[in-house]
């Protein structure tokens, strides 16, 4: 057989055309650097879309995966698996909540939470209590339930009809919140810091009112911590920067240390909602992924990576503020630990392409937002290389070169 090329042409031939891939074929990585098959090193400020909290090549993570893989790779949830028990206990300790369900991806965690919310509400007063709400500009995933909560034209176009009895509250709009929720509301899903939507934080005022209305109407609040959770904003849960006390929390992206793993953590209120056979997944809580997740959380604590996210993130904000004084193309900087959004004048894609030429990987979201989700191990010195490159790019853009 002819040697298969890993290039954009064979990509077009082999795959459905749902991804816009960078023309890089990574073979390995170390720290915050990823290396292409031609040996080029890239400073990775995307980190597998916020997954690789420890960067690349962390030996503790590799050893935890190898050790568990040598013992047992899969059994299903017909058995009791020690790594699952340990990770569940850890998540309960970190959240102060009561019960855990493991899934494989963010969207599956959201599906599980939607199902639990509806079943919980069905067991309550009125039969019509099944409405699931989310906030405008949010992102909760790609499967039908999660997509119905996301409801952004580019994600849902052509896939209708969506899940019935879903709806949207205008972001940070307390008046709209008061209008939308009612006794028919089963749950409100929120990202304390919206990721895909361009790095926007929900206001404490909105959250306080949401919690009051929860008392009044008796619905659940589900925190989608899939992108902002696991330490990225400087606290383990990004809602810990707000007054929010959620009834359920969804985690995924970095949770499995790079392996597919997600979790729903729930309070006592929902502890008995699921009964035998009412929900499940074959792979959820895979022992290798759970072992990786434990090693990842331990490394975050041992290396004080949440503190590092705060410090390096702070450094980056200050540097971006200096850039903004020089470059009128920068409109706004939003920074929560190592979750950073920079709103720019033109399409952010331009900067992604320009940075790529300088071997720096950044990401664009919401048209004109540069989004940075670097590994939590990023040092201020490494961050500065990204800042300097962007400084050059803005300067060249102004000079028209
Ligand atoms: C990525 C993401 C999801 C979906 O996770 P997948 O693992 O891609 O299904 C859901 N919510 C948020 C906030 C995300 O960032």
């Amino acid at each position: 057989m002819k040697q298969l090329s890993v290039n954009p042409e064979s990509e077009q031939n082999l795959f459905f055309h749902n991804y816009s891939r960078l023309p890089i074929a990574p073979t390995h990585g170390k720290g915050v650097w990823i290396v292409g098959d031609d040996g080029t090193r890239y400073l990775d400020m995307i980190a597998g879309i916020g997954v690789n909290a420890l960067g690349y090549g962390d030996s503790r993570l590799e050893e935890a995966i190898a050790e568990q893989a040598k013992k047992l790779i899969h059994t299903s949830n017909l058995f009791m698996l020690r790594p699952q028990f340990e990770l569940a206990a850890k998540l309960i300790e970190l959240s102060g909540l009561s019960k855990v369900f493991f899934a494989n991806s963010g969207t599956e965690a959201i599906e599980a939470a939607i199902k639990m919310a509806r079943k919980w509400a069905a067991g309550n007063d009125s039969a019509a209590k099944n409405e699931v709400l989310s906030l405008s500009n949010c992102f909760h995933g790609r499967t039908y339930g999660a997509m119905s909560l996301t409801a952004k034209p580019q994600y849902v176009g052509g896939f209708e009809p969506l899940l019935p009895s879903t709806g949207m509250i205008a972001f940070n709009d307390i008046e709209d919140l008061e209008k939308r929720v009612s006794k028919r509301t089963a749950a409100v899903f929120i990202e304390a810091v919206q990721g895909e939507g361009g790095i926007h934080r929900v206001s404490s005022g909105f959250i306080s009112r949401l919690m009051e209305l929860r008392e009044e109407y008796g619905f659940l609040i589900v925190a989608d911590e899939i992108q902002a959770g696991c330490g990225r904003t400087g606290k383990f849960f990004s809602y810990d920067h707000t007054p929010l006390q959620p009834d359920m929390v969804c985690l995924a992206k970095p949770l499995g240390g790079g392996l597919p793993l997600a979790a729903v953590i729930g309070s006592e209120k929902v502890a008995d909602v699921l009964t035998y056979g009412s929900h499940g997944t074959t792979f959820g809580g895979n022992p290798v992924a759970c072992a990786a997740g434990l090693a990842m959380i331990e490394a975050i604590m041992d290396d004080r990576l949440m503190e590092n996210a705060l410090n390096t993130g702070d450094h980056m904000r200050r540097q971006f503020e200096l850039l903004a004084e020089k470059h009128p193309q920068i409109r706004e900087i939003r920074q929560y630990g190592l979750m950073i959004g920079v709103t720019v004048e033109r399409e952010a894609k331009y900067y992604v392409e320009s940075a790529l030429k300088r071997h720096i990987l950044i990401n664009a979201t919401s048209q004109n937002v540069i989004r940075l989700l670097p590994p939590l191990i990023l040092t201020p010195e490494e961050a500065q290389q990204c800042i300097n490159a962007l400084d050059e790019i803005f300067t060249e853009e102004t000079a028209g070169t």
Side-chain angles (χ1 to χ4, degrees):
M1 202 176 106
K2 198 167 129 260
Q3 171 74 22
L4 183 68
S5 336
V6 179
N7 62 25
E9 194 194 344
S10 51
E11 197 267 345
Q12 287 290 303
N13 292 331
L14 288 166
F15 299 104
F16 290 109
H17 300 194
N18 57 318
Y19 295 121
S20 158
R21 297 177 207 257
L22 295 169
I24 301 169
T27 52
H28 60 288
K30 193 73 204 162
V32 295
W33 301 87
I34 190 168
V35 185
D37 63 356
D38 62 354
T40 309
R41 290 167 84 233
Y42 299 86
L43 174 63
D44 187 358
M45 303 293 284
I46 313 171
I49 319 187
V51 167
N52 301 323
L54 307 182
Y56 298 94
D58 186 281
S59 58
R60 293 162 295 186
L61 191 55
E62 290 169 355
E63 276 159 28
I65 291 170
E67 245 177 65
Q68 182 57 41
K70 280 184 215 157
K71 286 189 203 154
L72 197 60
I73 295 177
H74 173 79
T75 64
S76 86
N77 291 301
L78 293 171
F79 299 91
M80 295 189 282
L81 296 161
R82 173 163 289 278
Q84 257 190 26
F85 280 46
E86 286 176 356
L87 184 58
K90 191 75 191 168
L91 295 178
I92 286 170
E93 175 198 323
L94 287 165
S95 63
L97 298 171
S98 304
K99 295 277 190 282
V100 175
F101 169 78
F102 284 121
N104 309 288
S105 63
T107 202
E108 279 175 79
I110 297 290
E111 294 300 318
I114 294 171
K115 285 177 71 177
M116 281 196 242
R118 284 210 169 148
K119 199 157 187 288
W120 170 83
N124 273 272
D125 37 16
S126 98
K129 196 177 179 69
N130 54 26
E131 184 187 48
V132 184
L133 300 173
S134 53
L135 271 54
S136 59
N137 209 35
C138 67
F139 181 84
H140 294 298
R142 306 286 199 163
T143 50
Y144 263 95
M147 177 178 68
S148 302
L149 294 188
T150 298
K152 223 181 189 181
Q154 86 233 50
Y155 297 132
V156 304
F159 297 125
E160 297 92 346
L162 302 178
L163 198 68
S165 205
T166 54
M168 211 150 269
I169 302 163
F171 186 73
N172 276 349
D173 185 334
I174 293 176
E175 247 175 68
D176 196 51
L177 168 69
E178 288 167 345
K179 264 196 294 204
R180 303 269 167 183
V181 297
S182 70
K183 61 181 189 338
R184 280 175 288 111
T185 307
V188 177
F189 281 65
I190 67 170
E191 297 163 87
V193 183
Q194 290 190 334
E196 226 59 35
I199 318 298
H200 296 278
R201 178 140 103 188
V202 178
S203 71
S204 287
F206 186 92
I207 290 197
S208 299
R209 188 70 187 117
L210 180 64
M211 294 207 302
E212 282 170 15
L213 292 164
R214 169 173 64 181
E215 287 308 302
E216 191 174 337
Y217 294 117
F219 53 77
L220 301 173
I221 302 176
V222 183
D224 179 345
E225 288 282 320
I226 291 166
Q227 187 165 141
C230 296
R232 175 156 298 281
T233 66
K235 291 194 190 269
F236 196 81
F237 300 101
S238 70
Y239 62 76
D240 279 338
H241 298 278
T242 78
L244 181 63
Q245 290 182 303
D247 302 294
M248 283 191 264
V249 178
C250 297
L251 288 174
K253 289 194 164 83
L255 182 65
L259 295 182
L261 183 66
V264 180
I265 320 169
S267 71
E268 273 306 311
K269 239 195 241 180
V270 291
D272 299 319
V273 166
L274 294 183
T275 49
Y276 295 116
S278 60
H279 192 60
T281 153
T282 302
F283 288 113
N286 170 277
V288 183
C290 286
L294 271 168
M296 195 274 304
I297 292 175
E298 258 165 43
I300 285 182
M301 304 301 173
D302 289 351
D303 297 356
R304 298 175 159 277
L305 293 183
M306 292 195 262
E307 214 171 291
N308 186 64
L310 287 177
N311 292 338
T312 304
D314 219 51
H315 171 82
M316 292 189 77
R317 194 195 62 252
R318 280 184 272 115
Q319 293 299 313
F320 270 119
E321 282 166 359
L322 293 178
L323 291 194
E325 285 173 22
K326 282 203 293 188
H327 305 294
Q329 299 99 313
I330 299 180
R331 279 207 215 142
E332 200 183 88
I333 302 147
R334 296 176 298 279
Q335 174 266 333
Y336 308 103
L338 283 174
M339 197 166 179
I340 300 169
V342 180
T343 303
V344 286
E345 286 287 326
R346 67 196 289 175
E347 268 199 50
K349 228 175 82 187
Y350 168 81
Y351 301 102
V352 173
E353 284 160 11
S354 308
L356 180 60
K357 289 185 198 141
R358 290 171 163 79
H359 302 157
I360 296 187
L361 305 179
I362 62 175
N363 179 241
T365 190
S366 301
Q367 289 286 329
N368 63 338
V369 179
I370 296 172
R371 176 176 57 166
L372 305 175
L373 299 170
L376 305 188
I377 58 170
L378 185 77
T379 64
E381 294 71 33
E382 289 161 342
Q384 195 59 39
Q385 297 188 40
C386 170
I387 302 280
N388 293 346
L390 285 169
D391 191 11
E392 278 173 35
I393 292 166
F394 287 125
T395 303
E396 279 184 17
E397 187 192 358
T398 307
T401 53

